[in-house]
């Protein structure tokens, strides 16, 4: 049977609290521009807020003025969303703990994930949010997933426990060698002038 081929995330919709709490968190804390609002077309008791997370896609929030913030952790059982991870630069990552603390938001502190850095905290309704920053930049024309695939292959071949920066560096070197031609390699076209 043929696959239904996806081409990326279109949008993510979350159930939020009231309108102002949602705007204060998604735009006020996370800096996502509030780009538009309309009724929830499936439930007239809710509004539908749209935020730009920075990559041209959307995160949308269903709001209801009767729902208030609840700091209890959201369920993470089978079938539930465990957490939402958002991408940040290394420069921003280094500021997160201080900025969360200035707002009185509890967090995990920085976590070393080998190929990235992470920090965790909860939104006003208890959803676990991760702010993550890759420790590498892929070569031009190469996607993050391709670097991770090669780094994984290298890690497994070496018997290492998890992906570390050395695996990333070696993967980037391999991918660069495969995608860029050089006068000193065998793949270069023969000189038609010789």
């Amino acid at each position: 049977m043929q696959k239904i081929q996806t081409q990326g995330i279109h949008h993510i919709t979350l159930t939020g609290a009231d309108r102002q709490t949602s705007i204060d968190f998604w735009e006020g804390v996370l800096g996502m521009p509030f780009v538009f609002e309309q009724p929830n077309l499936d439930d007239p008791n809710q509004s539908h807020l749209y935020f730009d997370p920075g990559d041209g896609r959307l995160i949308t929030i269903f709001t209801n003025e009767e729902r208030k913030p609840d700091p209890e952790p959201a369920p993470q059982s089978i079938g539930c969303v465990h957490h939402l991870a958002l991408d940040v630069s290394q420069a921003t990552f280094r500021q997160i703990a201080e900025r969360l603390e200035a707002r009185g938001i509890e967090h995990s502190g920085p976590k070393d994930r080998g190929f990235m850095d992470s920090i965790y905290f909860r939104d006003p309704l208890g959803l676990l949010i991760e702010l993550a920053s890759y420790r590498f930049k892929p070569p031009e024309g190469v996607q993050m997933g391709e670097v991770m695939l090669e780094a994984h292959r290298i890690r497994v071949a070496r018997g290492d426990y998890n992906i570390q920066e050395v695996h990333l560096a070696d993967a980037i070197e391999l991918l660069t060698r495969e995608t860029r031609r050089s006068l000193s390699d065998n793949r270069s076209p023969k000189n038609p002038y010789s």
Side-chain angles (χ1 to χ4, degrees):
M1 296 180 69
Q2 291 183 300
K3 298 176 184 177
I4 300 171
Q5 187 61 56
T6 64
Q7 294 180 277
I9 292 176
H10 186 279
H11 71 276
I12 295 170
T13 300
L14 303 169
T15 301
D18 59 279
R19 181 180 186 277
Q20 195 58 54
T21 297
S22 298
I23 294 169
D24 289 348
F25 181 76
W26 296 97
E27 184 173 48
V29 174
L30 295 178
M32 295 182 189
F34 177 28
V35 294
F36 76 97
E37 175 179 14
Q38 66 180 25
N40 176 347
L41 301 179
D42 297 317
D43 182 351
N45 296 317
Q46 297 187 104
S47 189
H48 200 173
L49 311 184
Y50 292 73
F51 297 88
D52 178 353
D55 63 359
R57 290 177 170 68
L58 296 169
I59 289 182
T60 75
I61 311 295
F62 287 147
T63 64
N64 182 306
E65 293 310 298
E66 295 178 15
R67 286 196 297 258
K68 297 300 173 201
D70 181 356
E72 283 297 309
Q76 293 179 328
S77 56
I78 295 171
C80 294
V81 171
H82 186 275
H83 70 277
L84 175 64
L86 301 167
D87 187 28
V88 296
S89 71
Q90 279 286 304
T92 297
F93 186 83
R94 292 184 187 102
Q95 307 303 310
I96 293 170
E98 180 181 328
R99 293 179 185 191
L100 289 173
E101 289 163 9
R103 294 175 177 273
I105 298 174
E106 293 183 19
H107 59 83
S108 65
K111 301 286 184 185
D112 177 347
R113 301 298 188 212
F115 62 93
M116 68 181 190
D117 296 301
S118 296
I119 193 166
Y120 300 86
F121 57 98
R122 295 196 181 273
D123 84 344
L125 290 178
L127 176 65
L128 188 60
I129 303 290
E130 174 186 8
L131 296 181
S133 181
Y134 285 112
R135 293 181 176 174
F136 68 97
K137 177 181 173 186
E140 189 67 32
V142 175
Q143 299 291 320
M144 289 291 210
E146 294 173 275
V147 175
M148 296 305 299
L149 175 65
E150 289 304 325
H152 169 77
R153 287 178 175 158
I154 292 166
R155 174 191 71 83
V156 170
R158 294 177 184 168
D160 295 333
Y161 183 68
N162 67 310
I163 295 174
Q164 294 294 320
E165 290 176 340
V166 65
H167 306 117
L168 296 170
D170 291 349
I172 289 168
E173 179 184 357
L174 174 70
L175 289 164
T176 299
R177 197 169 50 238
E178 290 176 355
T179 59
R180 306 290 190 280
R181 294 186 347 201
S182 167
L183 288 174
S184 60
D185 70 27
N186 295 335
R187 295 177 303 135
S188 297
K190 295 189 183 217
N191 185 346
Y193 304 107
S194 58

